[in-house]
Amino acid sequence: MLCLDDLSVLAEPMAQEVQRCLPMPAVVSFCVVAADASLQPLRHSMGALTTTSTETIEIIEAQLLDKQLLLPLVLPSGERVIVAVSEVVPALLKKMSPVWLRTLQQSLVARFETIRLAYVDVDTELFNRRATELFFQEAVAGTKLCFFLLNTPVKRRSAGATFQKNKEIADLLQVLTHGLCFSFGFGVFGIVREVRDREQALRAAHYLQHQLKQEGQPTAQIGFAAVRGASPQGAEDLERLWRALVIAEKRGPFGICDIDAADERHEHLFQLSAADLLSKLKKAWRNRPAFTLVALSLQPLTDATSALEQCLETLAQGTAKYIGMADNLAMVLFDRPEEQTIRQYIDWVQTACLQEGVVAIGSVGVASWPCLDFARADVPGNCLKALLHASFFDSGSVVFFDFLTLNISGDVFFEEGDYRAAIREYRRGLKWMPGDVNLTNSLGVALVECNQKRQAAACFHEVLDKETDNYMALINMGNVSQTLRQHALALDCFERALGVRTGEDATRQELFSSLARLYTDLGRHEQATPILEKWRSLPGSEREFLLFRLLGGNYLETGRPEEAIIACQRALRLFPQDSISMSMLGLLYVEHGEGSEIGLALCRKALALDNFNPDHWYRLGRALLYDGGRDGALKAVRRCLKLRRGHVAATLLLGSIHQLAGRQRQAERCFRLAVSLRGCSPQQVEMAQQRLSALTEAARTG
C-alpha cells in the first residue's frame, strides 16, 4: 500500500515520473499538509518534516500558489501528499487545462504504485536493496539517523516454514521500530531509526534482540552505523554496514557492532592509539623478565608540554623510566610491581607538577606483566582498563589492574555486543578470584548470549549455592532452565525471585513476563493471570503486545471471555500481524457469540500467516466444532497432531469429536492418552477423567 514513507524513500524516481508527464521541464518536489493545515516539505528523514511556510491552506483541487503548481493526491494509505511543480513560467502553468490536470492527478497514484513495485521485496513487502541504495544517496545530512543491519537466520524443516518465519520477523520489525524497514533476503533486514547518540543506538539494538528472543529467535546479529547524509557513494555506506555485520557475527549469536566505533578503535576497545608511544614502550620492555606500567591521565593547566615531560622524567630517575606522553596520557615503566614505590612516585608527580602549575593528575591505571594469559602487548590496554575502573572513583584515584577491573571491562564488551570478548574477560577475572559471585553471574549471562546454555546454568548454580536469594541469578537461572525445558527448576527460581525484593521496573517486567509465560505453558492459568496484571501495572507495559497476547490467552482459559476479547484486540492494535492473538480472537468470537463468520475468518487468516503453528490448527478445529463443522474440525485437529504429536488440548478435542460421532472406543483411547502426555495440566486431567466417566456411564446405561 503506497504511503508517505514510500514517497520519502522513492522521491527521486517518482519525481522523475511526474516530470515525464509534464509538457515542459520543471522541478518536482513533494509536500504534505500538516495537522495545522500548513504546507510542509516531505523530507527523507523518517518522515521528519521541516516547516518552510506558516501559511494555512486547504488544498482540494490543483491550484497555483506562489508560482508553484500544487497537485493534491490521496494515497491508498489515506495520507495526503502535495506534488509541487516549480521553476516553470507562470504563464505556462496558467494555460494548463483543468481537465488535463485532473486526469494527471488521477493517474499519478497508479504510476507511483507501479514504480514502488520495483523497490519492494515481494515476499516481505519491505523496501529492497535497490531502495536501500537510493536511501543512502538521498539521505538528509545532520538528521541523526542510524541504519541497523540485522541478521536473523531461520532454519526450519521446510522451505514454506522458513518463508513464513521470515515474513513473521519482517512484520514484527515494522511494529518494533515504527521506522523504515528494508529486506535483503535470507533473513537479513535493514532498519532506519532516529537516535540521539551512540548509547541510544546500542539500547535500540539490545531492545530489538530482546524482543526477537521473546518470539523464539535463536540468532539476531546487528551491525549498525550512523547515516552520513546525502552521498553518491551509497554502495560505500552499505559496504560499511556489511563489515559491521561480519564483525557482529564473530561476536556471537547475538553479537552487535558499531562500525564507526570499530573503525575508530582499531582492533578492540582498549588499545593504545598512539603508534609512536607504543613503539617506545615495546623497546623499553624488551628482554625484561617482568615490569609494571603506569598510565597517568593528565589534565594540563598550561601549554608547557616540554616542562611537564622534563618534570616526569626527572622524578622517574632512579626508580622508573619515563616513556612518553600522547593524548594527555603519560606512560612510566617500573621494573617491579611495588605498590609503595609506585604510589610514592605518583605523589611526587602530583606535588611537583602542581607546584609548577603545569598539570593535575586525573586518575592513574597500573598494570603488570606477567599476568594471567596476557602478552606484553596487552599491558597498555590493561592500563586503560584500570583507568576506566578509576573513573568510578574520585579524581586522582589510583587503580591497580585486578579481577574487579576485568569485571568492568567485561561489562563494557558485553554492552558493546562483543560477547566472546566479555566471556574472555570474565573467565580471566575468575582465574584471579575464583568463585567471585559477580564475575560468575556475569559469565553466565554472557554465555547465554552465545547460546551456551548448559555452561551458563552451571554458573548460575554456583552463584545460588553461595547466595540462595541472589535476585538476578534466580531470574537468569529460571530463564535458562525454561529454554532447557527444565520447567520445575525454572518455576522454583522465578517464584523465589518474586519473593526476594521489589526490584526495578525493567527487571520486574522481565520476571513477570518469564513467570507468566511459564505458568501459561504449564496450563496454570489461574496463577498466570495475576502476574500479568501486575506486569500491566508497570510503566510502559501498555506498549507490550506480548502482555496482551498472554492476557488474552489466560482470560480465555479462565472463563473471562469479555476481557480476553479486549486483550486480544489490544494486542492486534499493537501488532496487527500477530497470528497468535488473531487465532485466539477468532475462537473467542465463535464461542461467545460475536460472529462465527468473522471468527472463523480470523482463525484462517492466522493460519495464512503461520500454518505451521499447531495451536492455530487446534483453535480452528475447536471453533469449527462449536459451529457444527465436525468434519472440518476433525481435519484441523489431525493437522495439529501431525505438527505436534503430544498436543494435549488437541488430543482431548479429538476425543470429543469421536465421542460426538459415537466412536466411543476411539474417544476413550484419546482421553486416556491425553492424561499420559507430558505437560497435561491438572485441569486437563480433570476434564479427561470427566469425559471418561461420562463414557463409562453411557456404556453402563446403554
Side-chain angles (χ1 to χ4, degrees):
M1 180 189 297
L2 188 69
C3 63
L4 285 179
D5 277 347
D6 296 316
L7 268 72
S8 176
V9 175
L10 309 177
E12 182 183 3
M14 290 183 177
Q16 291 174 356
E17 181 64 22
V18 177
Q19 289 168 345
R20 280 193 289 270
C21 295
L22 295 172
M24 64 289 194
V27 173
V28 176
S29 59
F30 297 98
C31 306
V32 295
V33 179
D36 61 356
S38 62
L39 195 66
Q40 298 181 332
L42 180 64
R43 288 298 188 90
H44 184 54
S45 166
M46 303 281 296
L49 305 173
T50 304
T51 303
T52 57
S53 171
T54 57
E55 183 180 2
T56 301
I57 57 175
E58 183 178 357
I59 301 176
I60 300 174
E61 297 290 337
Q63 61 177 268
L64 285 173
L65 180 69
D66 297 332
K67 299 182 181 180
Q68 291 187 97
L69 173 64
L70 304 181
L71 299 171
L73 303 177
V74 179
L75 303 180
S77 62
E79 298 165 309
R80 296 178 62 194
V81 67
I82 308 296
V83 180
V85 180
S86 59
E87 296 191 20
V88 181
V89 178
L92 292 176
L93 293 175
K94 291 177 181 179
K95 291 181 179 179
M96 288 185 176
S97 164
V99 176
W100 182 84
L101 287 174
R102 279 195 295 272
T103 303
L104 178 61
Q105 282 178 265
Q106 294 167 2
S107 68
L108 282 180
V109 172
R111 290 173 181 268
F112 291 165
E113 288 273 23
T114 302
I115 292 171
R116 177 179 176 274
L117 293 176
Y119 293 91
V120 171
D121 177 64
V122 177
D123 295 333
T124 61
E125 298 180 9
L126 303 181
F127 292 118
N128 59 19
R129 184 183 179 115
R130 187 182 179 193
T132 313
E133 293 172 354
L134 195 62
F135 167 84
F136 281 111
Q137 291 171 12
E138 299 297 320
V140 175
T143 50
K144 293 188 177 180
L145 295 183
C146 189
F147 197 103
F148 298 83
L149 199 58
L150 174 63
N151 181 35
T152 59
V154 176
K155 295 180 180 178
R156 293 292 185 270
R157 288 180 295 178
S158 67
T162 301
F163 168 79
Q164 283 192 341
K165 187 62 180 177
N166 279 327
K167 182 66 171 68
E168 179 186 325
I169 293 172
D171 292 335
L172 179 60
L173 290 176
Q174 291 182 86
V175 171
L176 296 177
T177 61
H178 302 290
L180 301 177
C181 295
F182 302 81
S183 174
F184 295 82
F186 305 102
V188 179
F189 300 94
I191 299 161
V192 179
R193 294 193 64 173
E194 192 163 356
V195 296
R196 292 188 304 274
D197 49 34
R198 182 171 179 274
E199 286 68 28
Q200 189 183 17
L202 277 170
R203 285 197 298 272
H206 285 295
Y207 170 75
L208 284 173
Q209 290 180 331
H210 175 71
Q211 294 294 329
L212 288 166
K213 281 182 197 174
Q214 285 195 323
E215 293 301 299
Q217 181 60 29
T219 303
Q221 297 144 334
I222 300 177
F224 69 89
V227 177
R228 297 184 294 189
S231 168
Q233 290 84 28
E236 179 183 330
D237 290 309
L238 269 178
E239 187 273 334
R240 293 169 60 239
L241 286 162
W242 284 113
R243 283 198 296 114
L245 190 56
V246 168
I247 295 173
E249 288 172 338
K250 293 177 181 178
R251 291 178 173 179
F254 292 92
I256 298 173
C257 176
D258 172 8
I259 194 61
D260 297 323
D263 286 345
E264 180 183 344
R265 292 167 176 159
H266 305 289
E267 293 180 6
H268 56 76
L269 290 168
F270 302 101
Q271 184 175 23
L272 196 62
S273 58
D276 292 343
L277 183 57
L278 186 59
S279 178
K280 291 178 182 178
L281 280 169
K282 289 179 179 179
K283 290 180 181 178
W285 69 47
R286 186 179 298 159
N287 298 326
R288 291 180 187 247
F291 63 87
T292 297
L293 185 63
V294 176
L296 299 97
S297 175
L298 306 177
Q299 300 171 0
L301 304 177
T302 69
D303 294 331
T305 305
S306 57
L308 170 61
E309 292 201 278
Q310 181 62 44
C311 176
L312 292 170
E313 188 169 2
T314 301
L315 292 171
Q317 288 179 357
T319 59
K321 177 178 177 60
Y322 172 69
I323 305 300
M325 186 172 64
D327 300 325
N328 295 333
L329 195 67
M331 292 290 186
V332 182
L333 196 70
F334 289 77
D335 285 329
R336 292 178 299 278
E338 296 175 354
E339 183 174 342
Q340 183 178 356
T341 303
I342 293 170
R343 289 188 180 276
Q344 186 179 48
Y345 173 77
I346 294 168
D347 290 340
W348 290 345
V349 172
Q350 182 78 315
T351 302
C353 290
L354 283 176
Q355 286 176 351
E356 296 293 330
V358 293
V359 72
I361 298 179
S363 54
V364 181
V366 184
S368 299
W369 183 86
C371 175
L372 300 176
D373 60 343
F374 290 108
R376 286 185 175 89
D378 295 323
V379 177
N382 289 345
C383 285
L384 297 180
K385 295 173 188 176
L387 281 172
L388 174 64
H389 187 175
S391 68
F392 290 90
F393 307 115
D394 294 333
S395 180
S397 298
V398 180
V399 167
F400 286 74
F401 180 83
D402 62 2
F403 70 97
L404 292 175
T405 309
L406 285 164
N407 199 346
I408 292 169
S409 60
D411 291 345
V412 171
F413 282 119
F414 187 94
E415 288 302 315
E416 291 284 326
D418 193 348
Y419 301 113
R420 291 198 168 100
I423 288 170
R424 285 196 297 272
E425 295 292 277
Y426 296 141
R427 281 179 169 158
R428 284 165 169 165
L430 286 168
K431 285 182 181 178
W432 197 313
M433 184 60 66
D436 181 80
V437 168
N438 290 330
L439 279 166
T440 306
N441 196 51
S442 297
L443 175 60
V445 175
L447 288 167
V448 169
E449 298 298 329
C450 288
N451 284 339
Q452 299 178 38
K453 296 183 176 63
R454 296 193 183 277
Q455 293 183 47
C459 292
F460 302 137
H461 265 304
E462 185 178 339
V463 173
L464 292 171
D465 285 343
K466 296 175 181 176
E467 298 181 3
T468 56
D469 290 337
N470 187 298
Y471 182 73
M472 290 311 302
L474 285 169
I475 293 178
N476 293 330
M477 187 68 209
N479 286 326
V480 169
S481 301
Q482 194 169 5
T483 60
L484 294 173
R485 302 189 66 80
Q486 299 169 351
H487 296 313
L489 178 57
L491 192 60
D492 176 63
C493 290
F494 289 144
E495 289 178 337
R496 285 163 58 191
L498 197 63
V500 169
R501 63 182 176 87
T502 303
E504 299 176 357
D505 286 344
T507 57
R508 298 303 285 179
Q509 177 170 314
E510 181 181 354
L511 174 59
F512 292 154
S513 170
S514 299
L515 182 54
R517 293 183 75 171
L518 183 54
Y519 277 146
T520 302
D521 292 342
L522 295 175
R524 298 167 67 168
H525 305 289
E526 294 288 352
Q527 293 170 281
T529 303
I531 298 296
L532 289 166
E533 289 170 344
K534 286 181 182 178
W535 179 8
R536 190 173 184 177
S537 68
L538 296 178
S541 62
E542 293 297 309
R543 298 190 299 271
E544 296 287 343
F545 71 87
L546 177 61
L547 165 62
F548 294 99
R549 176 203 287 173
L550 291 171
L551 271 173
N554 284 283
Y555 284 150
L556 168 64
E557 298 299 334
T558 53
R560 299 162 68 177
E562 294 83 6
E563 293 169 278
I565 288 172
I566 293 171
C568 289
Q569 288 172 338
R570 182 61 188 272
L572 287 170
R573 282 198 295 272
L574 293 168
F575 183 11
Q577 303 301 316
D578 182 10
S579 63
I580 298 174
S581 299
M582 191 180 297
S583 176
M584 289 191 296
L585 185 60
L587 176 60
L588 284 160
Y589 278 174
V590 171
E591 291 187 343
H592 299 283
E594 297 293 333
S596 295
E597 186 176 345
I598 297 174
L600 291 172
L602 285 171
C603 288
R604 291 190 173 101
K605 184 177 179 182
L607 281 166
L609 291 170
D610 183 4
N611 66 352
F612 290 90
N613 188 324
D615 293 334
H616 293 358
W617 287 104
Y618 160 71
R619 295 189 194 101
L620 176 62
R622 181 170 156 180
L624 286 168
L625 184 63
Y626 188 91
D627 197 45
R630 191 185 302 168
D631 292 340
L634 183 60
K635 290 179 182 178
V637 171
R638 283 176 172 166
R639 182 65 184 273
C640 170
L641 292 170
K642 185 176 180 180
L643 291 168
R644 189 192 299 167
R645 185 175 299 176
H647 198 290
V648 180
T651 305
L652 288 170
L653 185 59
L654 181 60
S656 298
I657 294 171
H658 287 318
Q659 186 178 11
L660 289 171
R663 298 186 287 269
Q664 306 304 320
R665 288 187 179 179
Q666 291 169 283
E668 182 180 350
R669 191 181 305 119
C670 288
F671 296 142
R672 293 190 185 283
L673 175 62
V675 173
S676 68
L677 288 173
R678 180 181 180 181
C680 185
S681 69
Q683 293 88 345
Q684 289 170 326
V685 170
E686 184 180 354
M687 183 187 301
Q689 289 174 343
Q690 289 175 353
R691 303 281 174 82
L692 286 168
S693 298
L695 287 173
T696 303
E697 181 65 21
R700 187 180 65 80
T701 57

